[in-house]
């Protein structure tokens, strides 16, 4: 949520920095703006809507050596130009872009009698810097130290027209430099592609400034330190676009390839061997924690560990974990934290809480330079590659595959190589394309509600399938365990109501099938996704007996259904309304 990209160095065309904002569109935004120094004065251009609206406002070639830009996701204050970043102080001495939330902005406004016109929390920062007459890095730090909450800040100052000031706490911020001594500061290293192959990740409490040929970084103890530069191996999002019209379709189509690459990497690099075979014996409880799709991956992980290893495991939403204060977590708890971006605010807060309780923590993330990856005791890379569409697809499939391999790693006397099993599944994915789900999509598209049902792990996939359909088609899709229909949920059924029954466990499939037929007698339109061969008009057969592996195939099928329905409804699945890819505020 929200995105920052900024530049300082030799004079650069304003449009280059603004265009770079497009690499952050995946995060979700509703407005965009840019500020720069020109002849010693701060100037801004802002717009509502897409970045292209901002670009059309830049009607002339503007050159500057100091530029900050931002995409805003509204949290405080409505969507309007006055609330759009950058926020410039009343007398034009400071301009600020900010990701995060300043929790005490109202108190600061009252305490310092700040004249803030914008409704945002961010506008308080620029006014505070001006009120404090900040001009040096230490003045800047003194003002920032008054802020409570999360922030990634990049600021420009009228009195220092050749510097970018920055500060970081709980929200990601990165700095890159090139061979010309120029610098960029951004909320994602993807912004640095084409500019530099090295960057640093700022730590919580860091602040400082960059200017041509110079960087000064201070920690929370006010000590300057030399940051560690990392190699930027992030792929360019723009060059990653292929013939598919939408990223969601492209990313679903990539699942076969990425699973093959995942198997190769995990097998050849022996990634799971960071764990001793008796590692799980050290814990009384295993918890999986995440948000949204990552939470569903956690439910999958808990189910597979219970089933395959007979251990006590369960999953919890990160927000609920925080609300409960990490109840019952101790040094005998193993916590899995799952996040595609590795920057999900609720997940990071839950991680901090778990570490305070002395739990051992494993991170499962797609971004190895993320905050999550840096703070966990162990990290399992998702290896899904860039995922741009808001609705997670290929990352979820990779998360499931890794958790399947993780469980298999601790099993004894396996008769089948789990790597070969996942490889075989990757090859089976090819079959289930858009044409395969056309009929089912047609049945769903015109009805604004539907239901997914299943038992055990099938119930988990039902939850994720319902979420996907909600996210990209705005259909009110719900999910319930099959056996619960008769305990209340049959009341939802009326004529033509679509019920998608997921039945992938030969021992319990009959329960789901019976529940589906019971719904059919009340007017429901039943669709089966199953590994049972059925003489039923609307059914998709999955040729896989292991329910956990079949779940990977089922996920691609329901992702494809969701995408297909979105297209039939004329909805852009990459940027669903009100949603962001990376939720970096609590």
């Amino acid at each position: 949520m929200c995105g920052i990209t900024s530049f300082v160095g030799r004079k650069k065309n304003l449009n280059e920095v603004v265009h770079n904002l497009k690499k952050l569109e995946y995060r979700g935004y509703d407005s965009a703006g840019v500020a720069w120094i020109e002849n010693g004065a701060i100037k801004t251009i802002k717009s509502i809507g897409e970045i292209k609206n901002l670009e059309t406002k830049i009607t002339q070639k503007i050159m500057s050596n100091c530029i900050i830009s931002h995409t805003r996701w509204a949290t405080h204050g409505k969507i309007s130009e006055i609330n759009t970043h950058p926020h410039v102080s009343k007398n034009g001495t400071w301009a600020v872009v900010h990701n995060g939330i300043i929790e005490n902005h109202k108190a600061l406004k009252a305490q310092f009698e700040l004249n803030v016109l914008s409704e945002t929390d961010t506008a308080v920062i620029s006014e505070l810097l001006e009120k404090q007459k900040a001009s040096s890095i230490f003045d800047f730090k003194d003002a920032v130290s008054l802020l409570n909450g999360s922030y990634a800040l990049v600021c420009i100052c009228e009195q220092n027209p050749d510097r970018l000031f920055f500060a970081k706490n709980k929200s990601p911020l990165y700095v890159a430099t090139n061979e010309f001594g120029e610098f960029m500061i951004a909320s994602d290293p993807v912004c640095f592609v084409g500019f530099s192959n090295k960057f640093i990740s700022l730590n919580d409490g860091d602040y400082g400034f960059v200017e041509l040929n110079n960087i000064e970084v201070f920690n929370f103890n006010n000590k300057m330190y030399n940051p560690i530069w990392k190699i930027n191996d992030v792929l360019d999002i723009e060059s990653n676009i292929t013939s598919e019209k939408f990223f969601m379709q492209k990313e679903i189509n990539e699942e076969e390839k990425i699973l093959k690459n995942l198997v190769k990497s995990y097998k050849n690099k022996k990634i799971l061997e960071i764990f001793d075979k008796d590692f799980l014996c050290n814990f009384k409880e295993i918890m999986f924690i995440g948000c949204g799709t990552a939470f569903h991956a956690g439910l999958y992980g808990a189910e597979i560990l219970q089933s395959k290893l007979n251990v006590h495991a369960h999953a919890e939403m990160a927000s609920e974990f925080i609300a409960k204060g990490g109840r019952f977590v101790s040094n005998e708890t193993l916590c899995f934290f799952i996040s595609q971006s590795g920057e999900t605010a609720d997940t990071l807060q839950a991680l901090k809480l778990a570490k305070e309780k002395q739990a051992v923590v494993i991170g499962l993330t797609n971004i190895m330079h993320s905050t999550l990856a840096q703070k966990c005791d162990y990290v399992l890379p998702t290896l899904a590659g860039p995922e741009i569409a808001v609705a997670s697809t290929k990352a979820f499939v990779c998360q499931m595959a890794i958790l399947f391999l993780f469980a298999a790693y601790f099993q004894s006397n396996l008769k089948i190589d789990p790597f070969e099993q996942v490889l075989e599944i990757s090859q089976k994915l090819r079959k289930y394309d858009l044409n395969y789900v056309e009929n089912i999509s047609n049945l769903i598209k015109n009805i604004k509600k539907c239901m997914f049902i299943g038992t055990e792990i099938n119930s988990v996939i039902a939850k994720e399938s319902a979420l996907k359909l909600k996210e990209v088609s705005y259909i009110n899709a719900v999910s319930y365990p099959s056996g619960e229909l008769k305990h209340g949920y049959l009341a939802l059924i009326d004529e033509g109501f679509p019920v998608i029954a997921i039945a992938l466990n030969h021992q319990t499939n009959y329960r789901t099938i019976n529940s589906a037929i019971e719904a059919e007698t009340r007017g429901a339109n039943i669709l089966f996704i199953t590994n049972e061969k059925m003489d039923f008009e609307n059914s998709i057969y999955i040729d896989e007996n292991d329910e956990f592996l079949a779940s990977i195939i089922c996920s691609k099928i329901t992702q494809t259904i969701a995408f297909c329905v979105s297209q039939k409804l004329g909805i852009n699945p990459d940027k669903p309304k009100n949603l962001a890819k990376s939720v970096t505020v609590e």
Side-chain angles (χ1 to χ4, degrees), residues 78-255:
K78 63 185 179 181
I79 301 168
S80 65
E81 282 196 15
I82 197 170
N83 289 333
T84 300
H85 298 217
H87 287 286
V88 181
S89 58
K90 179 177 140 183
N91 296 317
T93 60
W94 283 89
V96 175
V97 291
H98 163 230
N99 291 352
I101 291 179
I102 305 304
E103 296 168 0
N104 63 334
H105 69 283
K106 291 183 179 179
L108 290 172
K109 183 178 177 180
Q111 179 183 350
F112 292 94
E113 299 179 341
L114 302 177
N115 182 21
V116 180
L117 299 179
S118 166
E119 301 168 283
T120 66
D121 54 334
T122 302
V124 168
I125 303 172
S126 56
E127 298 299 339
L128 180 63
L129 287 165
E130 182 168 283
K131 187 81 171 183
Q132 297 289 85
K133 298 181 179 179
S135 59
S136 71
I137 184 59
F138 300 108
D139 296 334
F140 173 76
K141 182 264 176 183
D142 288 343
V144 169
S145 66
L146 298 172
L147 306 177
N148 294 333
S150 59
Y151 50 81
L153 291 176
V154 185
C155 313
I156 52 178
C157 176
E158 183 185 47
Q159 294 182 47
N160 291 280
D162 301 315
R163 285 184 176 180
L164 292 177
F165 292 80
F166 61 82
K168 189 264 188 197
N169 187 52
K170 298 181 183 178
S171 195
L173 198 62
Y174 306 90
V175 182
T177 188
N178 63 14
E179 66 270 28
F180 305 111
E182 299 170 317
F183 289 89
M184 285 185 67
I185 305 177
S187 49
D188 190 325
V190 72
C191 294
F192 305 145
V193 176
F195 172 79
S196 174
N197 66 350
K198 65 178 185 177
F199 71 97
I200 60 173
S201 299
L202 294 172
N203 303 310
D204 285 349
D206 282 356
Y207 67 95
F209 67 87
V210 289
E211 58 192 2
L212 187 63
N213 294 314
N214 186 38
I215 177 172
E216 293 189 12
V217 185
F218 301 82
N219 63 22
F220 60 92
N221 289 321
N222 301 324
K223 292 183 179 179
M224 187 189 299
Y225 73 94
N226 293 319
I228 299 173
W229 295 91
K230 304 176 183 179
I231 299 299
N232 189 8
D233 57 0
V234 179
L235 298 176
D236 189 352
I237 287 175
E238 292 184 321
S239 65
N240 201 35
I241 297 174
T242 58
S243 58
E244 290 97 338
K245 184 178 179 181
F246 296 101
F247 277 111
M248 184 179 181
Q249 183 182 13
K250 173 184 179 295
E251 288 157 9
I252 292 171
N253 290 343
E254 288 176 343
E255 289 173 356

Side-chain angles (χ1 to χ4, degrees), residues 50-62:
E50 297 184 23
I51 293 167
K52 65 183 180 182
N53 298 341
L54 178 63
E55 290 177 315
T56 60
K57 282 192 168 185
I58 304 173
T59 56
Q60 57 182 310
K61 185 178 180 180
I62 300 172

